């Protein structure tokens, strides 16, 4: 299966591109860790697969409309 064919099939089945699906899952996991634990945002970012805290914050805000700090409060 070619990459292009996989991406089209994935989008048809899931409604998202593979990249968007992965980002959404990372944000969901980060949101759960923010609610359930007192880990620092840097630790959460690394645990869920973001490169650093700033990358997680910008992605979190783009997807959910709130920063991790606003979400924790």
């Amino acid at each position: 299966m070619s990459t292009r064919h996989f991406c089209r099939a994935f989008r048809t089945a899931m409604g998202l591109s593979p990249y968007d699906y992965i980002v959404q899952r990372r944000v969901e996991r980060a949101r759960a860790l923010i609610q359930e634990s007192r880990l620092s945002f840097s630790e959460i970012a690394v645990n869920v697969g973001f490169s650093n805290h700033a990358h997680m914050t910008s992605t979190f805000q783009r997807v959910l409309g709130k920063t991790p700090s606003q979400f924790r409060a």
Side-chain angles (χ1 to χ4, degrees), residues 7-70:
C7 288
R8 273 187 285 165
F10 190 92
R11 183 182 298 271
T12 300
M14 300 299 291
L16 299 168
S17 70
Y19 176 77
D20 289 339
Y21 177 80
I22 290 169
V23 168
Q24 186 176 28
R25 296 292 297 153
R26 285 179 180 168
V27 169
E28 288 172 10
R29 183 66 183 137
R31 183 175 60 184
L33 286 173
I34 288 168
Q35 289 177 327
E36 298 168 2
S37 71
R38 297 311 276 164
L39 294 172
S40 71
F41 292 136
S42 295
E43 291 172 318
I44 291 171
V46 171
N47 285 337
V48 300
F50 289 108
S51 58
N52 56 43
H53 170 260
H55 183 215
M56 180 183 77
T57 299
S58 63
T59 304
F60 201 92
Q61 187 167 15
R62 181 175 49 83
V63 172
L64 297 178
K66 292 182 178 181
T67 63
S69 299
Q70 292 169 332

